Amino acid sequence: MADNPEEIKEDLRAYLEYLQSAGIEALPRREHSEDEGISPPQAASPNVQTLEMIQKELAGCKRCKLHRSRRTIVFGEGNPKATLMFIGEGPGYDEDVQGRPFVGAAGQLLTKIIESIKLRREEVYIANIVKCRPPGNRNPQPDEVKACLPFLFKQIEAIGPQIICALGTVSAQALLDTRATISSLRGKVFDFRGIRLLPTFHPAYLLRNPDGKKAVWEDMKQIRAWLNELL
């Protein structure tokens, strides 16, 4: 959290302006504990936005404190009607500089993983839980995830994938509204709003722990089998 009162007031003002622009005039009051997880996804809006509309809405975003240190908003890229969507946790240094997701060392490995199931990056869609780089590549904090998740949900709604691969702990926990570890989640199939969701290890984890590649390969074979069913 920010220590500077002026920064806190700026963030609060920007957030309240965003809520007002969305037609929200009052916030419900409810009790919660410190152990409470991220709020579950809200029901999908009947008015589906296009990716272009969502990206325009995000322009100049100041809804959380990550805007203070970012260079660019890393929206996502790929096939706007992809059957398969990969979702990571957040941009790193290279992504922040280039404005594209997964372009660093982990991104190069992700490209190879995608190619291993006979696809190209251009055929899938790649995005992150948060659109701005957390300082020092730390994990996104709960308030940052909560501010950005509605835009990811809109992206998913616009793309309409039939399969989602959640890359790493942050992605899996945010999408599934759980605190379970990625080790306990990976390889299991979950339902996300009628979409098959399969968590697996993040490519950055594989760079540090090559032994995890075998497990990811098993997950990719499952995804390839699903894709074959959909042909």
Side-chain angles (χ1 to χ4, degrees), residues 51-189:
L51 290 175
E52 291 75 14
M53 292 166 64
I54 301 164
Q55 190 165 18
K56 184 176 180 180
E57 187 179 354
L58 265 173
C61 181
K62 293 185 178 180
R63 294 173 181 84
C64 80
K65 56 186 176 294
L66 291 181
H67 77 271
R68 298 178 195 147
S69 57
R70 71 159 183 249
R71 296 189 187 187
T72 57
I73 295 174
V74 183
F75 183 71
E77 68 176 23
N79 181 353
K81 294 300 177 185
T83 300
L84 172 61
M85 187 171 180
F86 288 90
I87 301 176
E89 60 182 48
Y93 174 80
D94 293 303
E95 291 76 17
D96 188 37
V97 171
Q98 297 185 40
R100 298 177 56 211
F102 283 92
V103 292
Q108 294 171 23
L109 179 53
L110 178 60
T111 298
K112 292 179 180 179
I113 290 171
I114 294 169
E115 291 173 346
S116 75
I117 54 173
K118 311 302 180 184
L119 291 173
R120 295 174 289 113
R121 277 182 65 116
E122 296 79 10
E123 295 178 276
V124 304
Y125 198 92
I126 304 172
N128 283 301
I129 295 295
V130 298
K131 311 301 185 191
C132 300
R133 180 196 180 198
N137 289 354
R138 63 163 171 74
N139 286 341
Q141 296 174 351
D143 60 315
E144 297 160 357
V145 171
K146 193 170 184 177
C148 220
L149 265 184
F151 296 98
L152 177 63
F153 294 155
K154 289 180 182 181
Q155 283 180 290
I156 295 171
E157 198 172 18
I159 295 163
Q162 296 188 55
I163 304 166
I164 292 175
C165 182
L167 300 169
T169 300
V170 173
S171 177
Q173 289 182 344
L175 290 169
L176 297 172
D177 187 29
T178 180
R179 294 190 176 186
T181 65
I182 188 61
S183 295
S184 65
L185 295 172
R186 74 135 295 270
K188 297 178 181 177
V189 185

